[in-house]
Amino acid sequence: MDLQQLEMRKVNEPAGGTSLLMKCLLAAAMGLASANLVAAEPVWRVVHGWPALPEGRVLGSVSGVGIDTAGNVLVFHRAGRVWPASDQLDTAPIVGTTVWILDANSGARIGEWGANAFAMPHGLTVDAHDNVWLTDVALHQVFKYTADGKLLLTLGERGVPGDDAGHFNRPTKVAVAKDGSFYVADGYRNARVAKFSPNGEFLMQWGAKGTGPGEFQTVHGIALDAQGNVYVADRENMRVQVFTADGEFLRQWKSEALGRPYGVVLASDGTALVADGGDQPSDPPDRSALVVLHADGSVAERVGRWGNYDGQFMMAHDLVLGRDGAVYIGDIQGRRVQKFVKVAE
């Protein structure tokens, strides 16, 4: 008997009170549910009415989100292009602007760029110098831009997949270290993390297809902690793997409550946040949520569920932790970005 059934039994039983047995069972079930998954009271809430987009303007599928040093929110979206059922990706440039800049407080759009540059946007990362790193899974390329959209660096050969120092196969995300070196999650077709010098020189790689330590099934998200350890959202293996800066396996986080990690971000206190995109290819997915983890990888809270109302997700795809402590989550099927803040204690 689950908790909901016990509650219904309690509501529907005749006058005279709950039996001692039922009281014990209900208390045990409530305690077990609380201990196994999340806190009894929600710690995070969605900010209704954020963002406030201009009249007549809408976001496409939001695949990446980032924060610049001023606290502005950058959104990478597909501007009307959708992933085809055939999985044959169009390499023609998207005409509309694909990078939008939003004010963190008001949600107003304060800038946009990226027209006629990308074919299938995916990952967005903003480094400590406000450079914007973008990946395109149709073009098999990684790009570095200035904050206002000037191209600085391109890695990979346009439209040509590969698995070597000069090619990617649908790269998904970039993580930039304090010394300027960077890691590329590569990604959908390859199963590796590639490390590059600050100027884009290939240094090393690790990973192979599989389920063991250091093996991957869809390298989808990547992030670094304060010590430079590398956290990889190993999506289809339903886990987060943790490595040293040189690719030595340290540990993994995997549980039913964690779900299927699409993106991961680390807070300064060791807390981790994960975008659980839900179980695929079920339609709709069985779940999607923001997952908050303790420093040891155990689940502290799951926020939201599958749906299209405020605070729900069709497919949580990427997330970023803001300078104001808020969490911003891009929803690729919901075609939106949402802001969540901690509930005042």
Side-chain angles (χ1 to χ4, degrees), residues 182-341:
F182 59 95
Y183 301 83
V184 176
D186 181 33
Y188 273 119
R189 293 284 176 81
N190 290 335
R192 65 171 180 163
V193 173
K195 184 177 182 179
F196 295 83
S197 71
N199 63 2
E201 178 186 1
F202 177 82
L203 297 177
M204 63 170 294
Q205 68 178 44
W206 72 87
K209 287 190 180 294
T211 59
E215 297 177 337
F216 305 108
Q217 297 284 357
T218 307
V219 187
H220 199 268
I222 191 167
L224 307 178
D225 66 14
Q227 291 72 45
N229 295 318
V230 184
Y231 293 69
V232 178
D234 185 9
R235 192 181 81 180
E236 301 311 305
N237 281 329
M238 301 181 70
R239 63 183 177 180
V240 173
Q241 294 195 68
V242 187
F243 304 88
T244 67
D246 295 322
E248 177 185 351
F249 175 81
L250 295 175
R251 58 190 175 274
Q252 72 172 19
W253 297 336
K254 183 178 176 70
S255 69
E256 181 180 355
L258 176 63
R260 193 179 299 271
Y262 277 51
V264 58
V265 65
L266 284 303
S268 58
D269 63 358
T271 302
L273 300 102
V274 167
D276 175 9
D279 295 328
Q280 305 297 326
S282 58
D283 186 18
D286 295 336
R287 59 169 179 254
S288 190
L290 163 64
V291 186
V292 183
L293 307 177
H294 296 296
D296 64 359
S298 60
V299 175
E301 185 180 11
R302 285 182 60 88
V303 182
R305 61 180 177 83
W306 189 88
N308 61 359
Y309 291 104
D310 277 6
Q312 300 177 352
F313 310 98
M314 301 287 285
M315 187 187 290
H317 194 265
D318 194 23
L319 77 172
V320 68
L321 186 61
R323 294 166 60 88
D324 57 0
V327 178
Y328 301 86
I329 304 175
D331 186 335
I332 201 158
Q333 285 193 355
R335 301 183 183 182
R336 60 179 177 170
V337 59
Q338 296 185 84
K339 177 179 181 178
F340 289 80
V341 295

Side-chain angles (χ1 to χ4, degrees), residues 167-184:
H167 294 84
F168 305 101
N169 201 334
R170 298 190 176 182
T172 53
K173 182 80 171 180
V174 174
V176 183
K178 294 178 181 178
D179 65 359
S181 62
F182 59 95
Y183 301 83
V184 176

Side-chain angles (χ1 to χ4, degrees), residues 73-89:
V73 181
L74 280 76
V75 175
F76 199 26
H77 72 112
R78 295 175 179 167
R81 181 158 294 175
V82 298
W83 197 291
S86 67
D87 201 39
Q88 299 299 311
L89 302 183

Side-chain angles (χ1 to χ4, degrees), residues 152-166:
L152 299 175
L153 177 70
T154 301
L155 297 178
E157 185 176 356
R158 181 183 176 88
V160 179
D163 187 7
D164 54 41

